[in-house]
Amino acid sequence: MSIKALKGFKDILPDEAGLWQFIEQTARDVFHRYGLEEIKVPILEKTELFVRTIGASTDIVEKEMYTFEDRNGSLITMRPEGTASVIRAYIENGLFVRGAVQRLYTIGPMFRHERPQKGRLRQFHQMSVEVLGSNSARIDTEVMAIAWQILQDIGLQASLEVNSLGCAACRPSFKEILQEFLQERLSHLCDDCQRRSNTNPLRVLDCKSEHCQAEYVSAPSIIDHLCQGCRDHFEEVKQTLSSLNISFAVNPKMVRGLDYYTRTTFELITTELGAQGAIGAGGRYDGLVQQLGGPEVPGIGFAMGMERLVMLLSQKGHGEISHVLDLFLITLGEKAHEKGFILMQMLRAQGLRVMMDHEGRSMKNQLKQADKQNAWFALILGERELENLEVVLKDMHSGEQELIELAPAFEDWAPVIKQKIKH
Ligand code: HAM
């Protein structure tokens, strides 16, 4: 019996790879325009890192982490998200002594043992941004603008929802007010909300049960309970978003599934993916660096789910960004094949994407391969052409053919052919 991939783990096949590359390259281009630098962090970390950052009573830590003992008996986890690792690396490598604000991005796989469904995998990929060292509300806006710009550049639209979760000064008193509200209707709430009303009361606002949501219509709103500092910060975020023409809606019920957030949080939502509508999300995490043993440095970031972007683009009919060959080299006969093999290498060195057949197949078959591989041109080289120092160049789209004369010196062939390939 053949072995299949694990549930929730997916192969990214060559047909789809073009779309992945397009998204990644577009995002990298945006990141560089916004002055971000790349950081690469390990997939495995000590379990404690995620417990201390994401929060012990979150779904991710309670139910979804791939955690195991390694051969030395240390408890390790396959990263469920990137922020914790980037902050660890930032502290461990002393990046803060470089002074200025650090603008970092990273791209890679994450692992969460969730129930797989459309747009939700157990291994998925994120492109994420972390900006460390600034309290300015303009940084919040700039970070959201990065996500916004990526979507624009890849040709997608989403709505931006923002909220403020307050800070260590105002959130505890809001929690108490919310707990009081929940206590009064505890028996009407689902089991999860009943439990969370004690452990993590803010998270109840995110409950998927319609019944609970009906109860929360009249719930107190965090926005009304922010301290002056948080209120001013949030006002400035909204103002500066508007000044950049980025449209948004305030959603006071957005609480996020990770505990490290303070002040601004945001999500980019689409209605085109069914239940898994969040294509990107993030927020500020001002106490996190210190909580992990670093200096008092504020931070903000976001992550976008690449699978969801790929799905949206292919739904819109952009699945065709497949690789295109410049040239398929058709050779007939052993001598032509021998020369053709070296010519292919020379053309590749000239920057062209070139392929040929090594199986001695017929002309008809080789033309078919050229067509299948989406080649712009086919170059036909037979024994007679070799003797006469000429080749036939066929434009695979128009069907036009041209006879090209070749110089006696073999080294001169590639530049001549390259010149003829204009598209
Ligand atoms: P998150 O909301 O957990 O945030 O994930 C961010 C994005 O990753 C989601 O909006 C979604 O597009 C994608 N995603 C999450 N889980 C899955 C899954 N199981 N399958 C497919 N896609 C998924 C974070 O991870 C934070 N670290 C973001 C952040 C960075 N906040 C500050 N800095």
Side-chain angles (χ1 to χ4, degrees), residues 75-196:
L75 207 55
I76 55 177
T77 293
M78 293 171 76
R79 62 179 186 194
E81 59 110 46
T83 310
S85 307
V86 171
I87 307 287
R88 182 208 39 74
Y90 172 82
I91 299 170
E92 188 171 340
N93 298 288
L95 296 187
F96 45 86
V97 297
R98 286 168 64 185
V101 174
Q102 293 288 305
R103 296 164 165 252
L104 307 169
Y105 78 89
T106 191
I107 302 176
M110 308 291 159
F111 305 85
R112 295 183 193 174
H113 195 279
E114 295 190 82
R115 201 167 47 79
Q117 61 181 79
K118 187 181 175 194
R120 196 206 272 156
L121 289 127
R122 289 182 173 169
Q123 176 179 331
F124 58 99
H125 297 75
Q126 285 185 343
M127 306 188 290
S128 57
V129 165
E130 313 295 348
V131 177
L132 292 141
S134 175
N135 280 309
S136 167
R138 285 210 164 75
I139 287 286
D140 302 37
T141 293
E142 228 189 304
V143 164
M144 287 184 259
I146 296 172
W148 192 254
Q149 187 79 57
I150 292 175
L151 290 181
Q152 266 200 338
D153 286 9
I154 61 178
L156 288 175
Q157 275 186 334
S159 40
L160 173 65
E161 294 190 356
V162 298
N163 192 20
S164 174
L165 293 182
C167 65
C170 52
R171 196 163 11 168
S173 56
F174 173 72
K175 263 191 189 168
E176 275 174 31
I177 295 167
L178 183 63
Q179 262 170 333
E180 236 170 75
F181 169 89
L182 296 172
Q183 215 55 44
E184 285 163 15
R185 34 188 71 66
L186 209 54
S187 57
H188 301 285
L189 306 181
C190 73
D191 290 350
D192 260 357
C193 284
Q194 290 196 12
R195 191 170 52 85
R196 283 190 171 138

Side-chain angles (χ1 to χ4, degrees), residues 229-242:
C230 288
R231 206 175 315 144
D232 292 346
H233 186 90
F234 194 46
E235 278 311 311
E236 208 183 327
V237 169
K238 290 190 288 181
Q239 256 173 33
T240 47
L241 276 174
S242 300

